[in-house]
Amino acid sequence: MEVRGCVTPKICLREVRKQYPARGVAEATTALADMSLDIFQGEFVCIVGPSGCGKSTVLNMIAGLVEPTGGAITLDGEPVLAPGAERGVVFQDYALFPWKTVRENVEFGLRYRSKGRVPKPERERRVQHYLDLVGLGGVGRKYPHELSGGMRQRCALARALANDPQVLLMDEPLAALDAQTRLVLQEELLRIWGEEKSPEERRTVVFITHGIDEAVFLADRVVVMTRHPGRIKNVLSVDLPRPRGGAVRTASRFQTLCDEIWQMIRDDAYAAVADG
Ligand code: ADP
């Protein structure tokens, strides 16, 4: 168990297990075995590992979308039993409403969560603020199909942020983007996360990726997972200075950390590819 002074973890996983039951010809799968992890307020934690090691399962359990088979997950000391507005989720496939404009997509969560309590002018102000923050200030009237993949993902991020969640859960949000757009959005994400709030109020981010360099660039700590069953192999602190810009990627320490992680998951990654 990690201890940081006497600070209560924001998110705490204790011996969390997940078994998906057998269905038809498919056997039961132990997606996750006895995972324990403390994540602290304002931390940016990346979970990295090969396909099938249980990354999405962990994230969905923290989101309250999937129920653990055993163990406990708490948020600020309270059990996670269902989704909640204090946890915003961003998925790989944008999950935007195609029939709504960018502005309406961002407003959607706000409008329904607040049940009309936030007056329209304040709602509009907040939506504009988050659109500006993610660099979409000028395209609020467009529809998702009129946007590039990178812009759609910016929109999904703005929608999650508009609810002002304390925790941002991101499941491979940049995986569908081309390599250059991914690099740009990694830097943008760090800028938004680092500048939007003071350190005392900074959002806690759990970010799933299979990209080792992405994890090292973004994270305070990288949780390295292996599969069959999914479990934590190691947790690395990323001792690269912040704020981080593109130049960090050329630092020898950056490369060393990437190599260390690759050595940890290399055999598993080969096996995952062989399994298809
Ligand atoms: P990752 O995100 O690392 O690729 P997942 O959490 O998606 O891993 O999956 C972990 C394991 O659990 C895999 O073997 C996967 O096939 C299995 N799994 C995931 N979701 C389900 C489900 N709903 N039903 C049955 N098995 C599942």
Side-chain angles (χ1 to χ4, degrees):
M1 176 150 114
E2 293 143 296
V3 176
R4 215 193 239 193
C6 55
V7 179
T8 310
K10 185 78 186 167
I11 302 165
C12 174
L13 290 90
R14 277 293 162 275
E15 295 172 11
V16 174
R17 278 181 290 117
K18 179 65 190 175
Q19 182 160 45
Y20 291 106
R23 191 177 292 167
V25 291
E27 292 175 10
T29 310
T30 303
L32 208 66
D34 294 331
M35 177 164 176
S36 293
L37 181 70
D38 288 342
I39 299 174
F40 294 90
Q41 184 273 321
E43 260 199 309
F44 201 126
V45 170
C46 286
I47 303 181
V48 72
S51 241
C53 69
K55 303 185 293 296
S56 294
T57 298
V58 174
L59 198 89
N60 287 332
M61 288 195 294
I62 298 173
L65 297 168
V66 167
E67 201 183 339
T69 313
I73 301 179
T74 58
L75 180 77
D76 290 327
E78 297 294 323
V80 168
L81 302 171
E86 71 291 329
R87 282 158 286 152
V89 188
V90 181
F91 295 104
Q92 178 180 339
D93 57 3
Y94 322 119
L96 300 175
F97 298 116
W99 61 89
K100 286 184 184 288
T101 64
V102 165
R103 172 172 283 279
E104 288 165 348
N105 263 286
V106 175
E107 196 184 351
F108 179 82
L110 257 187
R111 187 197 292 254
Y112 285 87
R113 184 168 77 91
S114 59
K115 296 194 176 69
R117 279 193 300 261
V118 181
K120 194 162 189 281
E122 171 61 13
R123 263 199 335 256
E124 287 183 351
R125 193 197 62 73
R126 279 201 215 170
V127 170
Q128 191 58 45
H129 167 76
Y130 285 108
L131 285 176
D132 289 341
L133 188 70
V134 301
L136 291 184
V139 300
R141 288 173 192 275
K142 293 202 173 191
Y143 286 87
H145 75 270
E146 298 178 275
L147 305 181
S148 66
M151 288 164 97
R152 271 182 247 169
Q153 206 50 294
R154 285 173 191 261
C155 182
L157 176 62
R159 189 174 61 178
L161 291 176
N163 279 316
D164 200 17
Q166 299 160 22
V167 174
L168 207 48
L169 303 170
M170 309 186 82
D171 192 352
E172 305 225 25
L174 311 182
L177 306 178
D178 66 79
Q180 285 163 22
T181 306
R182 202 158 64 226
L183 294 184
V184 170
L185 284 197
Q186 286 168 6
E187 291 177 26
E188 285 278 283
L189 181 59
L190 280 193
R191 176 188 63 77
I192 292 166
W193 170 75
E195 292 179 4
E196 197 198 351
K197 303 257 184 192
S198 66
E200 298 73 39
E201 294 192 312
R202 194 158 288 156
R203 299 184 206 282
T204 307
V205 184
V206 184
F207 187 108
I208 303 295
T209 178
H210 56 254
I212 295 174
D213 51 350
E214 180 164 273
V216 172
F217 180 71
L218 295 172
D220 293 313
R221 285 190 298 153
V222 179
V223 177
V224 183
M225 292 187 63
T226 56
R227 39 182 234 144
H228 292 326
R231 60 173 78 241
I232 294 180
K233 176 133 192 178
N234 213 331
V235 181
L236 274 90
S237 288
V238 179
D239 49 1
L240 295 165
R242 292 194 189 271
R244 291 178 198 158
V248 160
R249 302 179 203 276
T250 59
S252 64
R253 182 67 186 143
F254 180 89
Q255 214 45 62
T256 305
L257 286 165
C258 290
D259 289 345
E260 263 179 46
I261 295 173
W262 172 237
Q263 291 311 323
M264 283 176 207
I265 60 174
R266 188 174 181 279
D267 292 348
D268 241 28
Y270 271 94
V273 171
D275 288 355

